Amino acid sequence: MLKLQHTFTDILPADPSSENVPRQVLGAGYSYVEPKGMIAPSMIIYSQEMVEELSLDPAYCLSDEFCQIMAGNKLAEGSTPYAMCYGGHQFGNWAGQLGDGRAINLGECVTTLGSHQNLQLKGAGPTPYSRTADGLAVLRSSIREFLCSEAMYHLGVPTTRALALVLTGEEVWRDMMYDGNPSYEKGAVVCRVAPSFVRFGNFEILAARKDESLLKKTADYVLENYYPHLLNGENPYLALFKEVADKTCQMIVDWQRVGFVHGVMNTDNMSILGLTIDYGPYGWIDDYDPNWTPNTTDLPGKRYRFGNQPVITQWNLLKLANALYSIINDESALRDVIEQFRWQYNRMYQEMMKQKLGLYTTDDGDETLISDLEKLLVIHETDMTIFFRELAHVTSYSETDDCFEIIKPAFYIEDISKEYRIAFDTWFEKYLNRLKSERISQAERKVRMNGINPKYVLRNYMAQLAIDQADKGDYTILHELYEMLKQPYEEQVEFLQWYSKRPDWARKKIGCSMLSCSS
Ligand code: AMP
Ligand code: MG
């Protein structure tokens, strides 16, 4: 049985109105709202690891009751569902009130270890924050969220999780590419899990409305429940901001490490716990390209391109700083944190890239070695995942010719120019030299490199294959990918077919290289 409880709604004020119509909600952190209920829900997949972490009975998860709860047709014991009020900056502009337009929080599950995990249904029906939209989600985007959030967890990237994915038995009207060609698609609900779903935008909306009292209450709630170690310091709100910046920095370094592009880094999609949240038109880097964005809605300025994610993070932190300003009251300290972020990110990024290269000692030339490699990787399309994974086969006593052969499987084109080959050989000469000053054994380096350079990531075309098949009612690929992505750093020879470059057919296919915000 699933039992839930509440801290967010126990502490923060509720919207006094229970009318489920789109409107501005003032003076409240959330509105009570019930999931609409679905016609014929059926369980597609659930996360066994999440079931275990939530201390749920595995047998119970096979029951119809569990499926009904995951679809919003039935409420778990103790659940008083609600939608949160938040705002946000979208694509650089203040968008006013947004809120959980299609997410309904069921309550918190307390695990046997005592941690609180919020369960939230995405796509379970409209809320007062739905604006002109329907509060629903389609199967394709729900598969993408389920698979990717679990994959990110197993990659060691801070993220919200997924408990279950349910088919609703209902159809949803969507214009997938925003090009005037809408159609009916299968509806689905994902149950997401996180200690908290509070976003930067929860604070921004209160600051915009000059509701200082609720702003303070919300910050106190976050501090007491998620950052209690900061409560006794001189300025806990400033310390909170600093720690949010630190956690977010770590998250972005991890994104760059595994080649993840979020696609919609609006401030309403930034978690106050530094978790990857809101899996929409995200994508994974196939060929290493800092200019790539999977999100067609973002094509004009490519604001959220791979290489721009750290810059945008700093911009988003600035928005959070503005929102918290009235309770922190220390402009120069806030500026310091924002300014420091850049240095801190650069330091951590360099350290992370060194580890991707298997370098653990210090050398003055490391920064140049890394930036030279980054330049090389973009000249000829080079698969990021395969390049770094194969690099672990290089040893300090390899010949430069051997090195090139080792990483050759990462190139998308066979025809490598002479100049490029020479440039790469020069890089390898420096790299081999550098390896000679390392102290650990080759075997140990390989283990360490393989521990942070994944063998398997959720390439866009892979998710799309799972989606195309699932649309026909077959979930074989979905289950296969889910199993494989649980151990992304292991060799897993049974999944070797997925350790390959993006196939050519996926280069320009919708869903593989092009995604819109429509979901
Ligand atoms: P996103 O781009 O997914 O982060 O969504 C931005 C805002 O739009 C959030 O407030 C969402 O809750 C809301 N939203 C997105 N899709 C829908 C939908 N189908 N129905 C209601 N609200 C939605
Ligand atoms: Mg969002």
Side-chain angles (χ1 to χ4, degrees), residues 90 98-102 130-131 133-136 174 268-269 278:
Q90 298 186 311
L98 297 166
D100 287 329
R102 55 156 163 191
S130 297
R131 295 175 288 158
D134 56 12
L136 304 175
R174 280 289 181 280
D268 53 301
N269 292 340
D278 275 8

Side-chain angles (χ1 to χ4, degrees), residues 238-514:
L238 176 63
L240 171 67
F241 179 65
K242 170 87 182 96
E243 202 156 315
V244 172
D246 289 346
K247 283 184 191 285
T248 311
C249 188
Q250 180 60 57
M251 173 186 80
I252 300 296
V253 171
D254 277 325
W255 288 3
Q256 306 306 108
R257 169 173 66 84
V258 297
F260 175 78
V261 191
H262 184 284
V264 204
M265 290 178 70
N266 294 334
T267 55
D268 53 301
N269 292 340
M270 300 295 293
S271 142
I272 204 70
L273 300 184
L275 306 172
T276 312
I277 190 170
D278 275 8
Y279 291 86
Y282 67 81
W284 291 81
I285 291 286
D286 292 309
D287 56 289
Y288 181 83
D289 178 5
N291 276 321
W292 185 69
T293 173
N295 184 1
T296 51
T297 316
D298 187 30
L299 273 188
K302 289 196 187 176
R303 180 180 172 85
Y304 298 140
R305 62 189 184 273
F306 180 56
N308 213 31
Q309 298 190 126
V311 176
I312 291 297
T313 306
Q314 193 186 28
W315 193 91
N316 288 344
L317 283 167
L318 180 62
K319 296 299 147 192
L320 180 62
N322 283 340
L324 294 175
Y325 175 70
S326 69
I327 55 169
I328 292 178
N329 262 316
D330 188 341
E331 191 182 330
S332 88
L334 283 171
R335 273 188 199 287
D336 279 353
V337 178
I338 306 264
E339 187 55 28
Q340 276 302 313
F341 173 85
R342 231 183 53 224
W343 302 112
Q344 184 185 356
Y345 173 78
N346 283 340
R347 233 184 0 256
M348 287 171 68
Y349 177 78
Q350 291 297 326
E351 202 43 49
M352 176 276 283
M353 285 302 285
K354 275 178 62 182
Q355 289 183 21
K356 280 183 88 67
L357 293 174
L359 303 174
Y360 308 99
T361 58
T362 313
D363 188 290
D364 285 347
D366 285 345
E367 247 186 270
T368 317
L369 190 73
I370 291 165
S371 65
D372 285 352
L373 175 64
E374 287 168 339
K375 282 178 210 143
L376 283 170
L377 292 181
V378 291
I379 295 175
H380 276 297
E381 286 188 339
T382 315
D383 194 88
M384 177 178 173
T385 303
I386 295 178
F387 177 86
F388 283 104
R389 189 71 186 190
E390 292 304 310
L391 194 66
H393 293 294
V394 170
T395 67
S396 56
Y397 40 86
S398 300
E399 301 289 331
T400 43
D401 273 357
D402 301 338
C403 292
F404 200 79
E405 286 306 310
I406 287 170
I407 53 107
K408 218 169 159 186
F411 293 122
Y412 277 85
I413 27 171
E414 304 264 292
D415 200 11
I416 303 289
S417 74
K418 216 167 151 192
E419 296 77 26
Y420 185 68
R421 175 64 200 260
I422 293 169
F424 230 121
D425 283 350
T426 311
W427 185 84
F428 265 124
E429 271 164 33
K430 285 190 201 150
Y431 178 58
L432 291 174
N433 246 333
R434 181 63 184 81
L435 284 184
K436 291 193 176 79
S437 62
E438 285 294 318
R439 287 189 282 270
I440 57 169
S441 71
Q442 174 57 29
E444 170 68 11
R445 175 167 51 245
K446 193 167 172 205
V447 169
R448 286 205 207 174
M449 285 173 78
N450 285 350
I452 69 150
N453 292 323
K455 178 143 189 161
Y456 301 101
V457 294
L458 182 62
R459 292 172 189 268
N460 312 303
Y461 86 89
M462 289 160 49
Q464 192 56 41
L465 287 175
I467 289 165
D468 289 342
Q469 200 188 48
D471 256 333
K472 299 183 195 117
D474 181 348
Y475 304 116
T476 315
I477 299 180
L478 170 65
H479 279 274
E480 182 174 339
L481 294 180
Y482 170 67
E483 284 304 320
M484 175 184 86
L485 293 167
K486 283 184 197 177
Q487 294 185 294
Y489 300 106
E490 300 304 320
E491 290 299 318
Q492 302 192 86
V493 287
E494 67 276 28
F495 293 123
L496 263 188
Q497 55 151 324
W498 298 111
Y499 181 62
S500 63
K501 286 171 282 196
R502 169 200 59 216
D504 217 39
W505 59 259
R507 186 176 283 268
K508 292 265 181 298
K509 189 175 178 325
I510 287 171
C512 298
S513 60
M514 293 187 288

Side-chain angles (χ1 to χ4, degrees), residues 123-185:
T127 76
Y129 308 96
S130 297
R131 295 175 288 158
T132 56
D134 56 12
L136 304 175
V138 293
L139 178 60
R140 68 180 147 83
S141 62
S142 308
I143 287 179
R144 285 169 52 82
E145 171 131 19
F146 181 91
L147 275 180
C148 198
S149 56
E150 287 305 280
M152 291 282 266
Y153 168 74
H154 293 290
L155 281 164
V157 183
T159 180
T160 62
R161 301 282 306 274
L163 173 60
L165 167 63
V166 168
L167 194 68
T168 61
E170 299 188 11
E171 300 217 301
V172 176
W173 185 245
R174 280 289 181 280
D175 186 355
M176 185 163 74
M177 291 314 291
Y178 292 148
D179 60 1
N181 289 306
S183 63
Y184 279 109
E185 295 187 47

